[in-house]
Amino acid sequence: MEAPALYGTALTNKLMRLIELPSTTPPIHVMPVVEALTRFAREIGAEAALQEVQPGKPNCILTFDLGGSKTLVLNTHMDVNNPSGQVWRNDPFVPYERANRIYGLGACDAKGSLAAMLEALESVCRSRNGLCGRVILTAVMGEEAGGIGSLHLCNAGLKADGAIVGEPTELALCTVHKGTYMRRVTFKGSAVHSARSRAGVNAIDHAVSFCYYYQQLQKRLEAFPHPILGPADASVTLISGGTRQNTIPESCSVLIDRRLIPGETHTKADRELEEILTRLRGEIPAMRVEVETVVATVPSETDASQSIVQCALDAIRDETQRSVSPTGFCGGCDMSKLVNISGIPTAIFGPGSMENAHSPDEFVDIEQLESAARIYERIIRNFLKEQKEHQ
């Protein structure tokens, strides 16, 4: 079956066609989107390249060469959260419009950004006057799996003068975001019949003691806020233990979700975790514990004086007629790879709200979607116009 046409269609149609293409993580199945983007590149006259990250799971890189050396990267992800276990009013892969919103899986995270970027590139390619440089759209796989697509992209040597990452920010420009430190901490006990509880070791009791101390860490972190993001976070988000109601549990696992602010490292979070476990070992000599890494991303920040930030702020002001300032993105995202590996000044911007990302009945406001497309276009024109003026 031929990939659906994205070029030459209305913005809302672009988004609906992208939503219809399954690209969930897991299992990071992105080829339907890759094929549609490759067709778009062919029809618009751009160069398309596939960068295989895992077998059959590539990044899709579209290069629009307007002449000149200055390069702007538009980065967003093709994969979406897997809706398994969620209850949607309608099929998540069948988009629909209601009350000036587009509903469907990935509508805001982040196929809305992808559709708006494609719309902006179409407009730029129709009128290239005054532009000089290159725009590279990096549509990556595996963002929902810790950013493995952008990690591969940056390790392969991506270079640019500035970048915008498409994520749902409700049209705010974010220049700083938190990193992610997730660990599964598993406590080991000894199972016996609950009528002989003193002969066993209750792993849930040990996990409960751990949760108390991890909550105390959260309180300590509140004393050291970042000027934009506020304090770091330390939470227990999942717990699983026990086998049946009349057996002392021999195992209990908790997942800790530690969000890092700029200046914090995974080494610091490791040290915090080890201090808590050392304290517990002193209080509970029978305690045995294993720690497994689940997700590890780092925070990043771009100075507001950078050209990409100023170009983007100007674009947002021109579109919205409002005074705007840089703000923070509380989640982790692929900006961390672009900044920390490739050294590219980067900001985060896109339509939609993080409040309904990964949620049933995900949607994006059409007005925000259309504004985002115009703002992306303004960013491209603002950023690449500078090269010509300074030659």
Side-chain angles (χ1 to χ4, degrees):
M1 180 181 297
E2 186 179 15
L6 300 174
Y7 176 69
T9 66
L11 174 56
T12 53
N13 289 341
K14 283 182 174 63
L15 177 54
M16 287 185 171
R17 289 173 183 177
L18 287 169
I19 290 170
E20 289 170 346
L21 301 174
S23 58
T24 55
T25 292
I28 319 182
H29 176 58
V30 293
M31 281 309 298
V33 180
V34 169
E35 290 165 358
L37 292 178
T38 301
R39 176 178 175 179
F40 177 87
R42 184 172 64 248
E43 292 174 345
I44 203 173
E47 176 187 343
L50 303 189
Q51 185 183 67
E52 190 166 71
V53 182
Q54 296 175 352
K57 301 175 182 181
N59 293 329
C60 187
I61 303 169
L62 276 57
T63 301
F64 300 78
D65 194 343
L66 305 172
S69 60
K70 193 170 187 182
T71 300
L72 171 65
V73 164
L74 301 180
N75 171 280
T76 193
H77 54 100
M78 298 179 286
D79 64 319
V80 296
N81 183 59
N82 193 312
S84 177
Q86 296 180 340
V87 178
W88 288 59
R89 291 195 190 99
N90 297 282
D91 187 329
F93 298 102
V94 179
Y96 61 96
E97 180 180 341
R98 188 176 68 199
N100 205 37
R101 295 171 172 175
I102 300 293
Y103 286 82
L105 185 62
C108 75
D109 187 20
K111 288 182 176 179
S113 291
L114 178 56
M117 287 175 176
L118 295 175
E119 183 77 2
L121 289 167
E122 274 196 42
S123 295
V124 167
C125 287
R126 282 195 297 267
S127 177
R128 307 183 182 198
N129 294 340
L131 299 181
C132 187
R134 294 190 306 164
V135 186
I136 303 177
L137 173 64
T138 58
V140 298
M141 56 77 78
E143 192 275 344
E144 300 289 1
I148 58 176
S150 283
L151 178 63
H152 184 93
L153 177 76
C154 293
N155 283 335
L158 179 69
K159 301 295 181 186
D161 300 283
I164 296 291
V165 172
E167 289 284 358
T169 69
E170 295 191 277
L171 305 185
L173 188 75
C174 302
T175 57
V176 56
H177 71 90
K178 295 181 180 180
T180 306
Y181 172 99
M182 291 185 184
R183 299 292 186 270
R184 183 172 290 105
V185 185
T186 302
F187 297 89
K188 300 292 186 178
S190 293
V192 296
H193 194 287
S194 57
R196 301 178 58 250
S197 61
R198 293 172 185 80
V201 177
N202 193 323
I204 288 180
D205 287 346
H206 299 171
V208 167
S209 297
F210 173 85
C211 291
Y212 170 78
Y213 286 124
Y214 212 69
Q215 184 183 45
Q216 300 308 304
L217 171 62
Q218 169 78 64
K219 294 178 180 178
R220 294 197 300 274
L221 293 173
E222 291 172 0
F224 305 97
H226 183 275
I228 294 177
L229 289 172
D233 306 272
S235 308
V236 175
T237 56
L238 290 173
I239 186 166
S240 175
T243 56
R244 56 183 64 86
Q245 75 274 12
N246 59 356
T247 301
I248 297 300
E250 64 181 352
S251 179
C252 184
S253 294
V254 299
L255 188 92
I256 58 171
D257 185 341
R258 174 74 164 84
R259 298 295 167 135
L260 310 172
I261 58 177
E264 293 189 310
T265 64
H266 290 103
T267 299
K268 177 178 182 288
D270 282 336
R271 187 167 60 249
E272 295 165 347
L273 175 58
E274 185 54 38
E275 286 172 356
I276 293 173
L277 295 178
T278 297
R279 180 171 184 173
L280 285 173
R281 289 186 185 102
E283 296 176 0
I284 312 172
M287 189 186 80
R288 293 180 293 129
V289 63
E290 297 174 355
V291 178
E292 173 193 357
T293 298
V294 178
V295 175
T297 65
V298 296
S300 64
E301 187 168 11
T302 297
D303 192 275
S305 65
Q306 289 286 342
S307 174
I308 185 61
V309 176
Q310 292 304 310
C311 286
L313 288 173
D314 288 345
I316 297 169
R317 291 185 190 112
D318 289 344
E319 169 65 23
T320 64
Q321 298 298 301
R322 297 195 312 266
S323 176
V324 291
S325 300
T327 186
F329 190 73
C330 286
C333 75
D334 283 345
M335 174 177 165
S336 63
K337 284 79 172 173
L338 297 169
V339 170
N340 294 311
I341 299 174
S342 295
I344 303 172
T346 303
I348 310 163
F349 172 84
S353 169
M354 283 290 286
E355 290 185 6
N356 69 62
H358 294 198
S359 298
D361 306 315
E362 182 181 350
F363 68 86
V364 66
D365 288 323
I366 293 176
E367 184 177 349
Q368 276 197 24
L369 182 70
E370 293 173 340
S371 290
R374 291 191 292 269
I375 291 168
Y376 285 136
E377 180 184 353
R378 290 179 187 270
I379 291 171
I380 295 168
R381 294 188 184 280
N382 289 350
F383 195 73
L384 296 186
K385 185 178 180 181
E386 286 189 352
Q387 176 72 15
K388 186 160 186 164
E389 290 176 346
H390 289 90
Q391 282 183 335

